Amino acid sequence: MSLSVVILAAGKGTRMRSNLPKVLHPVAHQSMVEHVIDSARMVNSDNIYLVYGFGGELLQQRIQGDDLTFVEQAQQLGTGHAVDMASAYLKDDEDVLVLYGDVPLTKVSTIEKLINAKQDGGMALLTVNLANPTGYGRIERLGGNVVGIVEQKDATAEQLEITECNTGILLANGGDLKRWLGNLSNENAQGEYYLTDIIAMAHGENKSIHTAHPDTEVEVEGANNRVQLANLERAYQLRKAEELMIAGASLRDPNRIDIRGKVTVGSEVQIDVNCIFEGNVSLADDVAIGANCIIINSQIGQGASIKPNSIIENATIGENCSAGPFARIRPGTEMKAGSHVGNFVEMKNTTMREGAKAGHLTYLGDSDIGKKVNIGAGTITCNYDGVNKSKTIIKDGAFIGSNASLVAPVTIGEMATTGAGSTIAKDVEDNTLAVSRAKQRNIQGWARPTKKAK
Ligand code: UD1
Ligand code: CA
């Protein structure tokens, strides 16, 4: 049977105090509604209908997919009216799942429970027991069976005692849903077309109404303001941190990590506090990440150690490498096994071959650094002449003295040496020493300047 998903996202989100439509506000790396769309796709939906009211242009710019149809709800006349906007697209013989664009943390496993709960001919509701049910629609049961939902504002004192609440998320047959939506009225306390009224209609037709429940409340929470959004962010981050720990990583503090993408870890990975991971990051076995590191779209090889305050982006760090503290490793950089960069070393589009080292205060751009090369402190590759970028090649075993300027394009030969403080603008042959600096003069008996009388 095919599955269509209707995502309600027409609310303006006034309480966000933002020009951005509410559902475009982010949790971790993507907007709330993108999380919901991801979940819909993970339960193998065939079509997704996004019901929007505001910022349609922006939504369509930001969110794309062949399976996505944008459906406008020009006036917000209620949740039933919102779902009805998609009715023209829904097929009679398919399942229709209703999700909310501002409820981003519903687990796929919970949606699957809901899908499994619906037996043929019936429908399924995701409900949750809340200690404080204020504001929610209450689930009415008779002899254990669900017979309806009553909204807070329409409820009697007795109904307000019910703690089983409607999350809003439900699953019904397309044909049934369209028929019920067509019969909704807005004669209620809020003058809205309530989606929740279809439950009594289903009961009236003797349809079975099944329920499923989330594992935690946060799965069904929405964000109406930035405080709630921040709470969802922390809940999401804790969930990701727990996934990493279950996968074998040790986190010094699972409350102090941010994962904005997908991180995979090997065993015995250690992550200290306040690290941010973005995009696709993989950490192999025995990797140690120090405090305050930012790692973006990078692979870190087995046994590598990233020291505190390092930033690594679009780079590959090989086995047993070490980087930092305060290393900045920029896109296109590859550190091969056992290479090392220390504090205040910046690299861009550079290969550090096996065992090469740059311990301190260095910029290596567009470079190929050979095996076991030693780069002295303060070495700068002058890779940019203001117009063009050029390459620096340093062959295996070379030794670059401290405070060198390597003016690219330039090649330093195998086992060559450059003297400290040299500006190297010409190629250096293998096994050669190149020194290029003003000769030192020692002036004996030189008198220091004295203060001039005024
Ligand atoms: C709704 C449910 C309530 C449930 C609660 C869970 C109804 C009538 N009530 O109440 O039983 O406990 O959610 O949070 O369904 N929306 C539209 N178009 C509209 C109206 C709403 O797209 O015309 C969207 C909103 O953007 C929001 C969602 O639907 O994402 C829920 O709307 P809201 O008005 O917050 O419903 P509640 O009163 O909270
Ligand atoms: Ca609500």
Side-chain angles (χ1 to χ4, degrees):
M1 201 189 308
S2 80
L3 175 66
S4 281
V5 179
V6 179
I7 300 177
L8 301 192
K12 190 170 185 185
T14 315
R15 282 171 284 171
M16 282 290 179
R17 298 182 182 277
S18 171
N19 293 327
L20 206 59
K22 175 165 78 170
V23 295
L24 285 182
H25 282 263
V27 168
H29 54 291
Q30 63 185 10
S31 65
M32 290 196 278
V33 70
E34 287 170 288
H35 285 279
V36 180
I37 290 168
D38 276 1
S39 305
R41 287 178 179 153
M42 275 152 77
V43 294
N44 294 319
S45 59
D46 298 284
N47 298 291
I48 300 174
Y49 303 101
L50 189 69
V51 181
Y52 70 93
F54 299 89
E57 220 168 279
L58 203 56
L59 277 161
Q60 290 179 52
Q61 258 169 31
R62 296 278 183 91
I63 301 168
Q64 270 138 27
D66 294 340
D67 54 350
L68 258 182
T69 305
F70 290 83
V71 182
E72 188 180 14
Q73 186 195 25
Q75 271 185 297
Q76 278 66 63
L77 302 179
T79 50
H81 180 256
V83 176
D84 200 27
M85 296 295 101
S87 276
Y89 299 97
L90 303 176
K91 296 188 213 69
D92 287 349
D93 59 352
E94 69 178 346
D95 273 343
V96 179
L97 170 68
V98 177
L99 299 175
Y100 293 76
D102 60 348
V103 179
L105 301 191
T106 317
K107 285 188 197 158
V108 170
S109 59
T110 295
I111 300 174
E112 282 167 347
K113 274 194 277 182
L114 186 75
I115 292 172
N116 294 334
K118 174 184 173 291
Q119 322 244 307
D120 275 346
M123 62 170 295
L125 278 180
L126 192 69
T127 75
V128 63
N129 267 298
L130 295 176
N132 177 10
T134 309
Y136 286 84
R138 308 299 208 282
I139 307 296
E140 293 183 283
R141 288 181 185 265
L142 251 180
N145 296 322
V146 175
V147 297
I149 297 178
V150 59
E151 290 303 297
Q152 165 93 21
K153 287 182 179 152
D154 300 283
T156 63
E158 199 183 345
Q159 288 167 326
L160 290 176
E161 297 295 311
I162 300 171
T163 56
E164 188 183 5
C165 295
N166 176 34
T167 64
I169 294 171
L170 58 79
L171 183 73
N173 162 267
D176 289 343
L177 186 64
K178 288 189 283 184
R179 181 172 67 255
W180 297 329
L181 292 173
N183 290 330
L184 288 180
S185 99
N186 64 352
E187 281 160 30
N188 52 50
Q190 301 185 76
E192 288 181 5
Y193 295 92
Y194 291 163
L195 176 60
T196 46
D197 284 352
I198 69 170
I199 311 306
M201 294 179 186
H203 174 67
E205 292 181 13
N206 282 320
K207 303 267 183 199
S208 48
I209 301 159
H210 307 275
T211 56
H213 316 285
D215 297 332
T216 55
E217 286 176 24
V218 75
E219 286 190 57
V220 294
E221 279 171 13
N224 292 314
N225 59 38
R226 291 171 200 255
V227 175
Q228 292 170 343
L229 185 66
N231 286 336
L232 292 184
E233 175 82 30
R234 284 341 299 163
Y236 174 87
Q237 292 301 344
L238 194 56
R239 190 187 279 180
K240 291 285 137 185
E242 285 171 3
E243 285 172 15
L244 286 190
M245 292 188 288
I246 299 295
S250 286
L251 307 188
R252 271 306 177 89
D253 182 355
N255 291 303
R256 284 184 288 168
I257 184 168
D258 283 83
I259 297 169
R260 301 171 188 161
K262 190 168 185 295
V263 179
T264 57
V265 290
S267 63
E268 297 301 334
V269 166
Q270 310 279 337
I271 302 174
D272 211 329
V273 299
N274 295 332
C275 291
I276 301 175
F277 298 90
E278 286 181 25
N280 286 313
V281 172
S282 67
L283 309 176
D285 294 349
D286 307 309
V287 163
I289 310 289
N292 306 321
C293 287
I294 301 175
I295 302 183
I296 304 165
N297 290 318
S298 295
Q299 293 78 48
I300 315 290
Q302 182 172 0
S305 173
I306 310 301
K307 305 279 166 47
N309 298 297
S310 295
I311 303 178
I312 301 177
E313 180 175 4
N314 287 55
T316 303
I317 311 297
E319 289 178 14
N320 300 314
C321 287
S322 68
F326 296 99
R328 169 122 194 258
I329 302 178
R330 294 171 49 200
T333 295
E334 181 179 5
M335 291 180 70
K336 296 203 183 260
S339 59
H340 161 74
V341 294
N343 35 213
F344 305 108
V345 173
E346 175 182 350
M347 292 194 288
K348 187 215 75 179
N349 195 24
T350 282
T351 301
M352 286 286 270
R353 295 189 184 274
E354 289 80 353
K357 289 190 168 76
H360 335 260
L361 301 165
T362 289
Y363 173 60
L364 300 172
D366 304 306
S367 321
D368 187 331
I369 313 296
K371 293 178 188 163
K372 298 206 166 158
V373 164
N374 187 87
I375 306 279
T379 296
I380 305 292
T381 55
C382 310
N383 60 323
Y384 183 53
D385 60 10
V387 189
N388 303 298
K389 302 257 170 79
S390 304
K391 231 180 135 135
T392 301
I393 297 168
I394 303 177
K395 295 194 171 164
D396 295 353
F399 182 99
I400 307 299
S402 294
N403 202 29
S405 306
L406 306 174
V407 184
V410 69
T411 298
I412 314 294
E414 227 175 281
M415 298 303 288
T417 304
T418 66
S422 293
T423 296
I424 305 292
K426 285 190 291 194
D427 290 354
V428 180
E429 299 78 29
D430 295 351
N431 305 303
T432 301
L433 169 68
V435 188
S436 136
R437 61 190 179 215
K439 278 222 176 70
Q440 179 174 334
R441 292 180 301 151
N442 290 2
I443 300 169
Q444 283 172 11
W446 180 73
R448 287 189 181 172
T450 52
K451 199 151 192 135
K452 290 195 180 86
K454 284 200 180 143

